[in-house]
Amino acid sequence: MDRSMPGGAFFSGGHLGSKRKDLWQVQQLEASHRAFAALRSDGRVITWGDVVFGGDSSEVEDELQQVRKIFASRRAFAALREDGRVVTWGDGAFGGDSSDVQEELMDVVHIAATERAFAALSADGRVITWGDRAFGGHCGAPEARLRDVRMIQASHRAFAAFSAETGLVSWGDPDFGGDSRAVPQDVHVLNIQSTAGAFAAILDTGEVISWGHADLGGDSTAVHDALQQIQQIESTSGAFAAIRADGQVITWGSFFAGADNSAVLCKPEDLKGSASSFLALKDGLLTAWGRGTFGDRNSGPPFDPGDIEDTCEAESTLSEYVTKLGVEEAQLDQWAVSPIVLLLSSGMSLEARQAIEEQVAQLFGDPQELWQRLQSVLGPVLGSDNDLHRLRQAMKDGQAMALRDRSEQWVCDDWRLEMDEGELWHFSGQICAHFLQLGLRGEIEPSSGVFLQPGRVWYSACVAAWRLGLPVVPLEEDFAKEPLAAARAQRALAELRPQAVLCTGALESHGWFWLEIEDCLRVSLEQLQKVLAADVMAIPSFPVAPETVLCYVYTGGTTRHSKCVAITHQMALWEVEHYATALKGLAGNTDRMLQYASAYWGAALFGQMDLALAFGACSVIHLAKQPEDIAVACRNFNITVLGIVPSQLRAWPGVKARPSSLRLLVTWAERTPPKLAREWKSEIPVIELLIASEYWLSFFSECFVWTDVDGVERHVLHPLPQLDFKLLKEDGSEAAPGESGELFLSGSTVFAGYVEETGAVWGFERVALIIDALGSQISESFFQQVDGRRYFRTRDRLKRLPSSGLPAFVYMGRADSLLKIGGAWRDMEAVEATVSALPQIAACAIVADGDELSAYLELENPRGADASPARGEPLKRVQERALQKLGSLGISQVHIWSSLPLHPKTSKVNRQELLADLARRKSRELAWTAKLKEVQKKMIKGRLHGSKMLLWRLLKLPYLWTAFLYFWQRLGKNRHRWVVFNLPVGPPDIFLLLAMLVPNFLLKQFFLVCIAAISWLRDRDGIAASGFLSLGIAGASEASAAKMTILLGLLGRYCFRPSRLQFLLGLPCAYLFSFPKWYRDEFVVRSTWDSSYLRRFLLRWIPALQKPPFDASLRFKKEDVAYDWGSEKRWVNVREYGSLALLSFWEPVRPAILPPEPGASTATAAPAPVLQTETEPGDGMARSLALLVARVGGDPSGLSLDSLQAIRLAELARHELGLVLSPGLVLRSADVETLVDSLDAEELPGEHEQPDEENAWRLYLMEFPKSPVVPWIEEAEMPGTTPLSESTDVMGVYKLTGPGGRVVPQDWYVRFGAGHLDLPALQRACDRLVSRHSALRTVQSPDEAMREAMDRAAAMWQLICSAYGSYGSPKWQCLGRLVRRLLMATWPRTFLKEEHLARVEIQMPDEVLRDPNYQRLSDDDCMFMQSSTLRSKHRWPFHIFVYPLVRSGAAGALSKDLPLAQAVRMLPPEDVVWYIYAGITHAYSDGACGNALLQDLLRLYAEDGKTDAAVGWFFSAPVVLGSDDRLWGKTQQFFLQEMQLGPQIHPAPAEPMALLQDRLKNSLEGRLPGRRPNPNEDVHHEILCEDWGRRPGFQKKVRLDESIFLALRSVKDVLGCSPDVAWLTAVVGSLLRLFPSEQRIQLILKCACRDGPNQHNMVGFLSEQRVIPVDVGESRRANLLDVACCIEHARRSRAWRAPQPYEASICVYINIVGSINDGLPLGCSQVCRCASGSSGQTDAWAHLNLRIDQLDLLKWDFRILHWDKAWGWGWGDYFISILGAVIADMVECPLDPIVPAPAPAWRVLSIQDEAGVKRKDPPAAEEAMGAASNGGSKAMRIDADETQLKSIEHSLFRLRSLGNDSRP
């Protein structure tokens, strides 16, 4: 059967065109999938059809001479010439290109073809193959055996040959006969035959062997004993038939292809096999068996046993047609018959059939004479006059078609696809008579199940059942591929208990459930075909009442459980009678209407049938599931009227892509968005119908729009005449014009009722049609009595409009879509409609999961039809507008998918799938929590299990442990190193030995001595120390009075020092949590030493001491990566230079959205803020804030600020507008107006913590001499490094494990921009700065010995609470408060210096001239190099120096007689660049402190000098958004007033120590599950993560090209997100493509945690690690915009949390550090430098650890600190490559699915590939790792031009220089 139709005929070869005149004396005809080749008697070849499939042979036309025979594959042809040469054409991948073997193709005698390959047999016995290797295009290993070959045969995908030397040889697809090793090889073969997937060979012994696909004849074991003395074998596409010497026919293979030979006569004279049937001749009688469902075995698509119908393609050639008739080609008059049969067999359209007479007349003259010739030739062999009638009908303009069927289910000898109305009635009458013979009656049982695929037989069978009054239920039969169909069938058969089932024989193999139904008949398709072929006498119809059930259909089930609906005859009659009214006369009997719905959705199936019946139009049956398939079908079949679901229409390729034949669109099943209808109405009329499964045609609309008061557009609906309906309000009264109500329907359009699970019909009164009478009862919830009539409650809400003509209504949604939110009723459907009507939103779906509502959006592609970018606002604004509308339902976050899921059968938005997505997200969250619980409990067993035997004894000695820690800390690092590396025991072992050696009778005295030691070592309290020592010494005597005196004295002393007493009381708790982990960690580490034999022995035999290995690595496979490594459309270019990887783009990216042109405005874009007058104070404040937003680099209309920009905005607002803003409030605000509205609601600071009586604070701290942000390490001097386990601002901070390395701090550098620097004024400003910020006055904690121990104790307590605790348990709450007090009492103390003692003097360098060796470097880089000496002499906790860089040209003018600072100030300002360096200890600061520190320092400097530069800087601030003189003047006056207030103008910031102490207290409470603390007011103790999460890893040094940065800058115009969100989106998108099976990426970010008031200007360690889960639901639907919005929502709503113990080990750690850049006062700017890095092996602490630092407004420093070694070394290259691709996709196609990587047709690189220049895929892991070990990977090196090499050389020189910048 051919797929060609009008509009597609030329594409499939169904139209001859100009080739007609060349088709004469045709001797052979061959067909590929969509093209034909005809061989004429003169040896010439004529081709036509699709050029891709070989329809154009013009390139080889000169060679196509003296052709002997033609052979065809699926898309190519091969012609064998008389001289033995071969000519090929067509698709090269399918054998159309034989150039590689052309020289071998000599003396060819035979050719065989699979679907994609050819094999030629030469005269000397050689076999030459070409084409697809998987289809036999390459012999492979069997090639050596192909010698002296005598015969060759082909299946669909394999070849078989017989060699006289080596025997049987086969190759190709093993499943299709390409592997014959299961049968004997060394045999002598007489003949080989093949089916589509198997071979059979006759041996010289008369036996038969077979191999290949078992279902297609490859398994002959069942008839093996009968296969003896075989003389002949014939085959179809799926079966073999063999004739024995005694004349018996043996068949095996597929039942549907002729394996059933029960009808075969014995001893046939001849036997032939066609496509799927056999024909036997005996005594002049022909007997045929089989079924016409398979195509020719040498062409067509690959055979799939599970999808038989799809295997037949357009191969109804002349040979096959004549074979079916039992006539040889030689008996026909070729000049007369060939062209006619060519036209008929190619699948004629209606127009083609009507044009046959004209075509025939042009070729042969009088058609009547031609008909007489055909009748005389074909008449004797045609079975009956009916066959002649059919042939005659094909040559004349007969009746209008009632049906055009693509299902191929018809009588085996019927090659036509059409059926007119007369034939439909006639054939249904024949089936009706057969039903009566089987005893089927409508009065007996109510239904019959029809499993047939919709088509002519299905149509005729349904009409036959209806003529008998027998209801039908349409069902699908493809259970293997459609699990929904199987579930539906099982339910339908159980509920309806049909008396008959119509199905194909394929269902017998499933053993289906009708076999369990008593008295259920099975009527097979074969039986119906025989009935139709036998021309049974048709019978008249029986009288059927209108209320009789016509069919049972099931609702779609897209929103809830589907229900079985009983449809009556009168419903169909009503619809047929009123369609003309609804469609306004726009359809007629000449139209073609597509019936594409499956049997699963019966209402749509029969509705599409009614639409065609109503007008007597042609119904084209063609199953199409996807919108693209519907569009293709409409084009191929010339559809004129299309009924479609709006969801499918929305996904249509586009209005402009509609076929020209389509002239009317009918929408139904769901509400049609006016925006969508308006788009289509510009081209063709659109009619919207109100139809449901329960009620059919009722209201119609011509898509005229009415706008409601809420601004929502709705279509105006009109009721059909005579429609019995009521619109009732809640009180039961009729709705008046302007009022809304629920629609009630009655009459012919309403269904009979729902069918219960018992089979009873709810609401239907005819007992005769109820299967189970006991279960029948009326459900009043569906029907209601109104005015004495029963009406169906549709649950649809309509609004009656005032109208003087036709009654007018608008659809208001479903009554069950109302939700009560905040005391008010909200309509979900109305909100959906409102959101869908917004610009750039294609669809919206809201689903309710319990009490939680979620919204899904599908956005329109911003690119035009020609892929041109749009100009306007970014996509994030679209999402924000949708959120504003969704806010009425309490929805704060939406999921943005590339396309909403459609139900596979109904094509509506599948809300069940959306609910399933929400359920999967929750299950992943639960699985994540359960996984953590399992790990935590596993780790706890090892922590507290180690020393149970000594536990009670050790519990008495926590004070010995504490004293030991303080004593150990006093020894110093050098002694520590000596003990660790020279003694066989470590500190925990020494402590245990001390504990063991103390006798029991001395424990009490030893206890007092330890307290004395603690009092002295910790507090330097000599009085308390001597008292406790005295008590210990007196313990051996009986001096009771003295003991009491000392004890009372100590008690009195501790009354004034309660914190010391609390410390002593809390030590047992700290010891209990900390010591087991300390000892076990030390034990495991020392067991790895070579000399620790005993420890390894103990670890081996005591599993409790072993650390559980890390077993949670993500599985990475390159073949699973959703990325086309060889795509020509890849932008990414990765180059390797040594250990450095450079990422760039081949070409600049092409943004999908461009910013509006200057002066242009869009309808959706918010206008730029303009400063207002003082009469509008609110607006004036908004405009002032808008100016500040622009100054920090944000967008006033949408903010889009990162964390550092939010901090800077809060600082500017405080200083210049007098506003108190918190960064959290800034980040939570969508725009400036929202920020202004939220000012009044800003939370005020609550009660602060206070220091203890000793003025000591307790807060989480790190090692004191640590620098913030990024440490600089001299790699050349480091023997080894390991990452710190402490919480730091950067994962990957190094601490030294051996001598030689030094940590050199790099903190903040500021380039001064206001002339010369006044050093005395800067010193005074520095003094005031130190007095303002307490972190600059800190000292190293006297309890440094307890720092790590207490961190371990806190982490262990959090672990126990997370694993076993419960916030709902009062016991756990009390225990948590107790442990918090005890641990807080023992926590290390922090003291502050007095201001005069904390003064830091600003340093100056000794040399300020620019080094001539650094001439190629910039001023900034040169300063970095020359200031390394000053930077290395760091002073704790605060270090500051000034570096004036004097340019080389001014060296002579620098006076040597003056002090250096004064001499520099004498130089012209343009010759000097002043830099300020400031650095703080990391123990009490983080990276976000830089903004507060530098802002305050420079402002204090400006205030101290009241310099003109300060005032000039303020007045020169850029005004980018317009200005208003009065308001701007007020702001200037405010600034001047503040400048005149003197040195104490700004109040000191809030004490950060109090905030940090409060956070520490919250963390020590245990973080019990179920408690929801403030996510920013907590501390994560990560020291436990090293126990389980530490594993081997790799690191890689990466540099990004400027093209990457430019693309990232464009992300703001496309997505509308801040740079940090853009980076996170790129990383998450890359991981989703690298791990496509993962739908959830768990991020850990280093967050500033400065949301509270005035926290932004604090200097303190406020930043913390926070977990943000990014769950996209389904990566094949989610897009990068959804990822960005998910991250943005988490950031704005602070929907993050502190990590649980060990959670960081299975997350992705990302630390993004922004830069202040040019946002500092006095025109100053921060300068940053690239950090060094390396490539190679390291330790990994998380799945992936990234550090991203901003260098300036454009550039970023990107480092991969580590990734899991389990992923392989090559993973780094894969990640870099995909990261670049994702960045490009964020700009170019942000709405495409994340997986697989998008490859739009318009994305084509314009560069030309050159050999050796471009490598498309990353290097193999072995190749890259090997190169890395030899100095870096060179697998991806490319040839660069001289300019590129110089640039790279300069970059490498700069990196090497910076790496050694601390050397003199």
Side-chain angles (χ1 to χ4, degrees), residues 1150-1192:
R1150 306 159 190 172
I1153 299 177
L1154 300 176
E1157 296 180 354
S1161 62
T1162 61
T1164 57
V1170 180
L1171 292 174
Q1172 302 292 328
T1173 64
E1174 56 185 278
T1175 60
E1176 300 174 303
D1179 291 342
M1181 183 62 68
R1183 286 2 180 223
S1184 301
L1185 282 173
L1187 291 173
L1188 299 183
V1189 170
R1191 282 171 54 185
V1192 300

Side-chain angles (χ1 to χ4, degrees), residues 107 158 205 248 257 281 313 397 450 501 516 614 691 788 923 946 977 1092 1209 1213-1214 1303 1386 1637 1677 1698 1747 1749 1825:
D107 296 330
T205 61
Q248 185 178 355
L281 176 65
E313 298 296 341
D397 185 11
V450 180
V501 171
E516 303 175 1
I691 294 179
S923 65
R977 187 177 296 109
S1092 299
L1209 178 62
R1214 178 173 68 92
V1303 176
T1386 55
S1637 61
R1677 292 190 181 276
R1747 174 64 185 260
D1749 296 278
M1825 193 60 197

